[in-house]
Amino acid sequence: MANSRSGDKLLDRMVRILESFTADEPLLTVAQIAERADLPAATAYRLVGDLADQGLVVREAGGVRLGLRLWELANRASAARDLRRIALPYLEDLNQLLRQHTQLSVLHEDEVLVLERLSRPGAAVNKADVAGRLPVHRTSMGMVLLAFAPAHVQADYLARHGASAAERHGDIRRLLTDIRHHGYASFHGFVDDTTTGAAAPILDRSGHAVAAVGVVIPRGSDALAAVVMALMTAARGASRDLQGGGGRPVSH
Amino acid sequence: MANSRSGDKLLDRMVRILESFTADEPLLTVAQIAERADLPAATAYRLVGDLADQGLVVREAGGVRLGLRLWELANRASAARDLRRIALPYLEDLNQLLRQHTQLSVLHEDEVLVLERLSRPGAAVNKADVAGRLPVHRTSMGMVLLAFAPAHVQADYLARHGASAAERHGDIRRLLTDIRHHGYASFHGFVDDTTTGAAAPILDRSGHAVAAVGVVIPRGSDALAAVVMALMTAARGASRDLQGGGGRPVSH
């Protein structure tokens, strides 16, 4: 139907405009938006105007940025928010006890999407940003999410990225079985050479990971065993809260 | 231009669909969405399909909910995220020291939009939810945001809501001057009869509030003076970080 097609196309353009904005470049001129969204300047100008009328973007001195209205719409009923609400007290406990960056993430479109990150001044290097993405088979959180994913999710991921994963890990299936057996994942120097990451899953009633809790510590730290124990304890607490209460699973 | 008008109308419909989802009802059937967005069922069905194709909503057993993709788009470059990143360490300090709910909010469309909320088990009653809204002249955070708003923002608000504000507060302009003078706002039983709220502003270089930090404590607590002192100290720290570093102001 022509109507549907044009509507769909317009939505696609709107999404491409919203995608132009990044953590590093949150303020863009309309010309920059047109280039990034691959749109004619006049079209970008008109669509940015429509988005601004709805408060989804706002005009500022120097350019355009995402509006609070978009943030409000996306956050007030999101699965990310529910999960975050359940996990946050446990993340805070870990952050206080371990004095290292603590993160919450989910598997999303074959990547690790970071939902929350609590920082510590002077803690180990950490590349994760809230709403940023990390590679699955190069992070402890990703490996734990993959190990505890439903069978079809794991199979789909390996069908697409199995070769690259095997290049790094050798027998990836066996490694995932080991992670499931031990209940956590820990790898040295995955994202950064100077750090060790460790992660444990937040599980739903069927035993599948809905999220991962991760900590990054300096590589070679004697504290790793204690960190893993704290991490697993926190992840179990969050799993219990999720399974017992108002927790809704996150759709991938 | 016909094209622009139809595009604008479609975007308006999309936003109405996204607005249908709330914290209390994050999972809706297409029939519920059609009713709330005031759309014919067939139109709602088609537009929900378009939104689902983009990952902005996801279909689940029992209905439709907002997708992680929307959350990601809205969060990764938002002003809310920047502000939250700067304020979070201070909110955590307050939450730990005071053992009460601690909140961060901004003035948005004549209401108080809650950007962050750290909870304590057993703390005082608190109606604020992340991405939820509270009335301006009935909350301490709202009053402090209004008191420290740019003159034209304050004047616009009072032009629209001055009568209602005066009904509650009497001489509202004088009260706002007092709040500016003291550097904080504190009111008893504003939102809930059993609590006292207190709030202090996070200020930009021009001395205007970009956000408020608020605490809710049991009404009649002896700790109020100490709470206010901690709050003002934390808000000043956050103001300094905002003014010094990568902090960008939030557009209203």
Side-chain angles (χ1 to χ4, degrees), chain A residues 194-237:
Chain A
T194 65
T195 62
T196 294
I202 299 179
L203 301 173
D204 64 17
R205 284 184 191 161
S206 57
H208 295 133
V210 292
V213 181
V215 172
V216 177
I217 63 175
R219 187 168 180 163
S221 165
D222 294 337
L224 182 59
V227 165
V228 165
M229 206 48 74
L231 204 53
M232 289 176 75
T233 306
R236 280 170 189 234

Side-chain angles (χ1 to χ4, degrees), chain B residues 12 32 47-48 98 133 136-138 147 149-150 158 171 206 208 211 213 215 237 252:
Chain B
D12 183 61
Q32 288 173 314
L47 295 182
V48 165
L98 306 179
R133 293 188 181 203
V136 169
H137 63 260
R138 296 189 58 192
L158 291 178
D171 189 344
S206 57
H208 295 133
V213 181
V215 172
H252 299 295

Side-chain angles (χ1 to χ4, degrees), chain A residues 116-167:
Chain A
E116 185 55 280
R117 175 179 190 267
L118 300 183
S119 309
R120 299 295 295 192
V125 175
N126 182 347
K127 314 254 187 211
D129 251 331
V130 173
R133 294 187 180 203
L134 298 167
V136 169
H137 63 261
R138 296 189 57 192
T139 57
S140 301
M141 289 193 294
M143 287 298 279
V144 96
L145 287 166
L146 194 57
F148 286 91
H152 71 277
V153 173
Q154 191 185 104
D156 284 355
Y157 181 85
L158 291 178
R160 286 188 287 266
H161 307 284
S164 152
E167 199 174 300

